[in-house]
Amino acid sequence: MAAEVCHHANAIGALQSHSYLSNLNQHQNLRSNSLRLVTKDFSCSNGLSMGRSSHFGQRNCIVTRSSATHSQTSVVDPVLSPSRSNTSDATKKSNEAALILIRHGESLWNEKNLFTGCVDVPLSSKGIDEAIEAGKRISSIPVDLIFTSALIRAQMTAMLAMTQHRRKKVPIVMHNESEQAKAWSQVFSEDTKKQSIPVIAAWQLNERMYGELQGLNKQETADRYGKEQVHEWRRSYDIPPPNGESLEMCAERAVAYFRDQIEPQLLTGKNVMIAAHGNSLRSIIMYLDKLTSQEVISLELSTGIPMLYIFKEGRFIRRGSPIGPTEAGVYAYTKRLALYKQKLDEMF
Amino acid sequence: MAATFFHQPAAGLYGLGIDVPSFGSSRIFGKLLSTRLFFNSSHHKLHLVLASISHDSSIESTLILIRHGESMWNEKNLFTGCCDVPLTSRGVEEAIVAGKRISYIPVDLIFTSGLIRAKMTAMLAMTQHHENKVPIIVHDESEQATLWSGVYSEKTTKQSIPVITTWQLNERMYGDLQGLNKKETAEKYGKEQVHEWRRSYDISPPNGESLEMCSRRAVAYFKDFIEPQLKSGKHVMVAAHANSLRSIIMYLDRLTSQEVTSLELSTGIPLLYIYKEGKFSSRGSPVGPTEAGVYAYTQNLAIYRQQLDEMSH
């Protein structure tokens, strides 16, 4: 009996059943920020249901290797459990994952022209509309996991955007701040978990902390410190405002978080959305696009226009912005994304 | 001193009733309120009158209770409890409409539960508020969080409304039923059992809270943290959930456990209470933007509203 060892190109022990559409079991493992790449209950085409395996090569299973992009020809109901997707085989050898970055829209302090930083102010009506529009643009792109900053304007942006998503999975904010919080937010239905998208809030994705400028308006600040000084704080890479962060400091903690917590998820094939802020996202883009510090300080991110990256074989490929609902255009989906979209069309 | 109030659609008042204060100037004041022209010519007089009644106004504060609207699990008919699911588009709309209803009622301080659907409801509602103050969520979960969220402008702080989030205002925790749909649950435990958990006062679902347990922590929080604010004259808004709000209403209205189990709160329809001299008076719901109606503002609320109108002209 020929047995092939299933292996995943870049991550040890993480195997996925059929396709990103049936990324069912992953959710149960995402209760914390830990990096356990364990899959429960993947089954292989010979019908054997394998237990948990976190070691490369520990289990043998017979799988039919097929190139990732061709395997999705079968019409698989996205909500099928893994055992039923046996017949459509396919190793998840394709470690292609989508990464969506969304910068939140107008906040109530943007409106008043005040330096915001880490002060936790909400969206304005305009910001709310921007979030919903952004949601329409990504409504056909798979999302398995959401990361946001700890600030309400980013969290609201994510939640508002997801009200537009066609897959109709439900984002659920994870609570780890105490034992009680964790215990109280438990979900007791497998079906429901399968239809859930964990949302992880992290301060490391917060906006750059603006120190003593927080709450000041641009005029007050120029009066207090002088125009050139303010310009320098805003536009330099490594000069922080008094008791605040420089862009470099912000980048340090944002990119570290991305590499430690988010990239491993992408490696297992999870499709991730990040809802955050101008500076924390620029920092991440600096890493994804390998920009210099000169290049990053002149990088401006539109609000409410999501950016898509495809993560494949350890590399990030920038795909620009999915088109808006009223725009005519050609948006270069990957084959996998196009199929996902088709399935949604069929389902709903 | 008669602590009575009633709404009277007096002729000429633009949908405002007047509170009957304990001193005699009310009739004059009512007349002053009744015409728009007054504002332009006798603005100065209004302020004098205000000054004369200010001794009474300092101890009256408003309390707004808002139950969040439809969540994504409401839509799917799943028991939610303390699972942190967001609002649907409909829930978002409900929050905005609720905001329009309270857009003329002063808010100095906001309390919400720790769950995103209540926080969003508060933030969405406040986008409609006419006073244009900015809600700011207070962060004290760590030294760093507190430090990082500092505001360095007096002026800005004065234009801010602190928002305090707290688990004690969370929805009743539904234990092992969280995430189950009503059908699954009836099949698993039997219809009568489920009905009992949902509608009794002191019987809790497995590993969950009874309404009584929920009340205990919600009302304790209200008495310890919210009531003192009202006492000091702060106007407070509470955005929370069916069971945590019922619990609070049970305390405000002195309901029995029988009465509270049959109390249903509309979603997205804010409830107003006036806190005065240690007592809570239920004032119903402020009228919606497209509703004709008479809403019984107190004198202070009417003045506040006038000032907002003046500000925006």
Side-chain angles (χ1 to χ4, degrees):
Chain A
M1 186 159 76
E4 278 181 4
V5 173
C6 318
H7 67 88
H8 189 283
N10 293 328
I12 293 171
L15 286 169
Q16 272 189 318
S17 54
H18 177 62
S19 76
Y20 49 85
L21 285 174
S22 50
N23 52 356
L24 311 156
N25 298 311
Q26 316 302 357
H27 301 312
Q28 293 144 323
N29 300 323
L30 294 171
R31 309 239 24 118
S32 66
N33 294 338
S34 65
L35 300 181
R36 298 170 66 238
L37 305 176
V38 174
T39 316
K40 277 192 203 174
D41 284 341
F42 57 87
S43 50
C44 303
S45 59
N46 65 0
L48 277 176
S49 180
M50 303 298 230
R52 196 190 274 238
S53 163
S54 55
H55 296 332
F56 180 88
Q58 191 171 323
R59 298 261 188 260
N60 292 336
C61 60
I62 299 170
V63 294
T64 308
R65 288 263 200 100
S66 49
S67 80
T69 50
H70 288 314
S71 61
Q72 283 82 318
T73 47
S74 51
V75 182
V76 177
D77 183 341
V79 296
L80 276 179
S81 64
S83 54
R84 285 208 260 160
S85 64
N86 281 356
T87 49
S88 34
D89 60 55
T91 314
K92 208 48 242 158
K93 205 209 162 208
S94 148
N95 51 338
E96 180 188 301
L99 171 64
I100 300 169
L101 306 180
I102 301 190
R103 178 186 181 189
H104 69 78
E106 190 188 71
S107 78
L108 289 179
W109 276 12
N110 290 152
E111 208 181 31
K112 294 181 177 231
N113 235 343
L114 302 176
F115 287 118
T116 312
C118 285
V119 184
D120 202 353
V121 301
L123 298 172
S124 63
S125 294
K126 183 168 169 214
I128 291 164
D129 289 338
E130 289 183 87
I132 292 175
E133 278 308 302
K136 290 180 177 151
R137 284 176 178 257
I138 55 154
S139 60
S140 297
I141 300 181
V143 178
D144 299 322
L145 187 50
I146 298 173
F147 287 88
T148 72
S149 73
L151 304 172
I152 192 82
R153 56 198 188 267
Q155 295 172 351
M156 279 177 80
T157 294
M159 299 300 153
L160 291 165
M162 292 308 289
T163 59
Q164 306 301 310
H165 203 274
R166 295 169 71 198
R167 183 68 179 76
K168 298 270 172 217
K169 282 189 173 180
V170 178
I172 305 190
V173 181
M174 297 288 107
H175 283 276
N176 287 316
E177 57 272 19
S178 67
E179 282 303 317
Q180 176 182 295
K182 217 185 297 198
W184 277 33
S185 53
Q186 293 279 341
V187 180
F188 288 88
S189 158
E190 284 306 308
D191 273 346
T192 301
K193 282 192 209 169
K194 286 176 194 158
Q195 289 298 308
S196 305
I197 300 172
V199 179
I200 296 166
W203 69 264
Q204 291 90 330
L205 296 174
N206 277 12
E207 181 51 298
R208 173 181 164 199
M209 206 272 283
Y210 247 64
E212 289 173 16
L213 302 192
Q214 292 184 163
L216 272 58
N217 68 38
K218 319 255 155 105
Q219 189 53 53
E220 275 179 305
T221 322
D223 290 344
R224 206 181 283 193
Y225 298 100
K227 266 175 54 176
E228 296 79 23
Q229 176 66 278
V230 177
H231 183 84
E232 190 181 50
W233 286 326
R234 296 187 74 194
R235 294 289 162 248
S236 77
Y237 184 63
D238 55 3
I239 302 172
N243 292 313
E245 285 186 306
S246 61
L247 178 50
E248 182 179 32
M249 290 157 77
C250 172
E252 217 178 280
R253 40 104 169 157
V255 174
Y257 186 85
F258 181 87
R259 292 170 76 168
D260 291 342
Q261 306 291 335
I262 303 180
E263 199 163 344
Q265 299 293 344
L266 292 164
L267 275 166
T268 68
K270 292 260 178 10
N271 300 293
V272 173
M273 171 164 108
I274 302 178
H277 308 262
N279 287 299
S280 49
L281 287 176
R282 275 155 132 204
S283 307
I284 289 170
I285 289 171
M286 184 179 179
Y287 168 69
L288 302 179
D289 290 355
K290 301 193 173 82
L291 303 176
T292 63
S293 52
Q294 275 291 76
E295 289 171 320
V296 79
I297 54 186
S298 48
L299 180 67
E300 289 299 332
L301 296 185
S302 305
T303 55
I305 314 269
M307 272 172 308
L308 181 67
Y309 283 79
I310 301 296
F311 179 74
K312 190 162 181 166
E313 281 148 21
R315 277 202 297 270
F316 290 96
I317 306 156
R318 184 179 223 193
R319 297 309 288 264
S321 273
I323 55 179
T326 52
E327 285 167 32
V330 176
Y331 182 67
Y333 281 114
T334 62
K335 224 184 293 211
R336 191 185 73 110
L337 289 179
L339 281 160
Y340 179 80
K341 181 169 179 167
Q342 242 172 39
K343 296 232 163 67
L344 286 178
D345 289 337
E346 285 163 28
M347 266 166 67
F348 299 108
Chain B
M1 175 169 82
T4 53
F5 55 91
F6 49 92
H7 64 257
Q8 265 182 336
L13 290 177
Y14 292 77
L16 303 177
I18 46 168
D19 201 350
V20 178
S22 56
F23 46 87
S25 61
S26 65
R27 199 167 301 161
I28 301 167
F29 198 73
K31 194 153 165 238
L32 290 175
L33 280 179
S34 65
T35 55
R36 283 267 154 115
L37 285 173
F38 162 75
F39 300 121
N40 301 325
S41 55
S42 322
H43 191 100
H44 182 60
K45 251 192 229 154
L46 172 61
H47 283 261
L48 286 176
V49 174
L50 267 180
S52 74
I53 61 166
S54 63
H55 73 275
D56 208 18
S57 61
S58 61
I59 52 166
E60 181 189 296
S61 45
T62 54
L63 171 66
I64 300 169
L65 305 180
I66 302 191
R67 178 188 177 188
H68 70 78
E70 189 187 67
S71 80
M72 292 192 185
W73 277 11
N74 289 153
E75 200 185 32
K76 296 186 175 216
N77 234 342
L78 303 176
F79 287 117
T80 314
C82 286
C83 291
D84 202 356
V85 302
L87 300 171
T88 57
S89 297
R90 180 156 163 226
V92 169
E93 285 306 314
E94 290 184 86
I96 293 175
V97 171
K100 292 187 169 136
R101 282 174 178 261
I102 54 154
S103 60
Y104 286 102
I105 300 181
V107 178
D108 296 323
L109 190 49
I110 298 173
F111 289 87
T112 76
S113 74
L115 304 173
I116 192 84
R117 56 200 189 266
K119 292 196 263 190
M120 278 178 79
T121 294
M123 299 299 151
L124 292 163
M126 291 307 289
T127 59
Q128 306 300 309
H129 203 273
H130 280 91
E131 197 174 351
N132 256 300
K133 281 188 173 179
V134 178
I136 303 188
I137 296 184
V138 171
H139 281 275
D140 54 6
E141 57 270 23
S142 69
E143 282 288 333
Q144 178 182 296
T146 307
L147 199 58
W148 277 34
S149 51
V151 178
Y152 289 84
S153 157
E154 278 292 316
K155 190 165 151 227
T156 301
T157 304
K158 290 198 183 112
Q159 286 296 305
S160 306
I161 301 172
V163 180
I164 296 163
T165 65
T166 178
W167 70 265
Q168 287 91 331
L169 294 174
N170 277 13
E171 181 50 298
R172 174 179 165 201
M173 207 272 286
Y174 248 63
D176 294 358
L177 300 192
Q178 293 188 160
L180 271 58
N181 68 39
K182 319 249 155 110
K183 188 159 169 286
E184 273 179 309
T185 322
E187 281 166 11
K188 199 167 181 178
Y189 298 98
K191 267 176 51 173
E192 295 79 24
Q193 176 66 283
V194 176
H195 183 83
E196 190 181 51
W197 286 327
R198 297 186 73 191
R199 294 289 163 249
S200 76
Y201 183 63
D202 55 2
I203 300 172
S204 56
N207 296 312
E209 286 185 305
S210 61
L211 178 51
E212 179 181 32
M213 291 159 76
C214 172
S215 295
R216 223 178 302 147
R217 43 108 169 150
V219 175
Y221 187 87
F222 182 88
K223 290 163 95 165
D224 292 342
F225 295 98
I226 303 181
E227 201 164 341
Q229 297 290 347
L230 292 163
K231 221 181 198 123
S232 71
K234 293 264 183 353
H235 305 290
V236 175
M237 172 164 109
V238 177
H241 310 261
N243 286 299
S244 49
L245 288 176
R246 273 154 132 208
S247 307
I248 290 171
I249 290 171
M250 185 181 179
Y251 167 67
L252 303 179
D253 290 354
R254 299 202 181 88
L255 302 177
T256 64
S257 52
Q258 274 291 75
E259 289 171 320
V260 79
T261 55
S262 48
L263 180 67
E264 289 297 333
L265 295 184
S266 305
T267 55
I269 313 270
L271 282 171
L272 183 69
Y273 283 79
I274 302 296
Y275 179 80
K276 190 161 177 164
E277 285 152 15
K279 285 205 284 280
F280 290 95
S281 323
S282 174
R283 299 307 291 266
S285 271
V287 290
T290 52
E291 284 166 33
V294 176
Y295 181 68
Y297 280 119
T298 62
Q299 218 157 344
N300 288 329
L301 288 179
I303 296 166
Y304 176 78
R305 188 187 172 136
Q306 261 171 17
Q307 290 172 334
L308 286 180
D309 284 337
E310 283 164 34
M311 267 166 57
S312 60
H313 290 115

